[in-house]
Amino acid sequence: MAKTSMINREIKRKKLNKQHGAKRLALKKIISSTTASYEEKIEAATKLQKLPRDSSESRQRNRCALSGRSRGVYKKFGLGRNMLRKATMNGDVPGLRKASW
């Protein structure tokens, strides 16, 4: 089980990204634009820097939905490797079962 503070931090990052995501995208578009003037680009860059750091999408980390573990998480299922194995053994994941040959 991951620390509760780490799980809460990830929840906060998702919330901030949802709140500021559109604004970040618009500012980045201005910065990378070829038609925008130099002053507009500088102004957009300073506005982007003033946004919260955690509102960036690249600061988010994949975590297991059950345990909060950050490593060994399968995106397709949203579960860590250990929890995915348990869920598979219980038959909770449709179409997935333990290999035997």
Side-chain angles (χ1 to χ4, degrees), residues 20-74:
H20 298 287
K23 192 184 295 184
R24 286 185 80 86
L25 195 62
L27 290 172
K28 284 187 172 192
K29 204 172 209 177
I30 293 170
I31 292 169
S32 63
S33 171
T34 56
T35 58
S37 69
Y38 180 73
E39 289 80 22
E40 289 174 335
K41 288 184 179 187
I42 294 297
E43 184 181 344
T46 54
K47 284 183 181 178
L48 185 65
Q49 288 174 354
K50 289 184 180 179
L51 288 176
R53 179 184 291 173
D54 282 342
S55 66
S56 175
E57 192 172 355
S58 62
R59 291 194 47 105
Q60 292 180 11
R61 181 113 173 127
N62 290 337
R63 288 195 174 269
C64 174
L66 298 177
S67 65
R69 183 179 168 84
S70 63
R71 297 180 179 201
V73 178
Y74 288 86

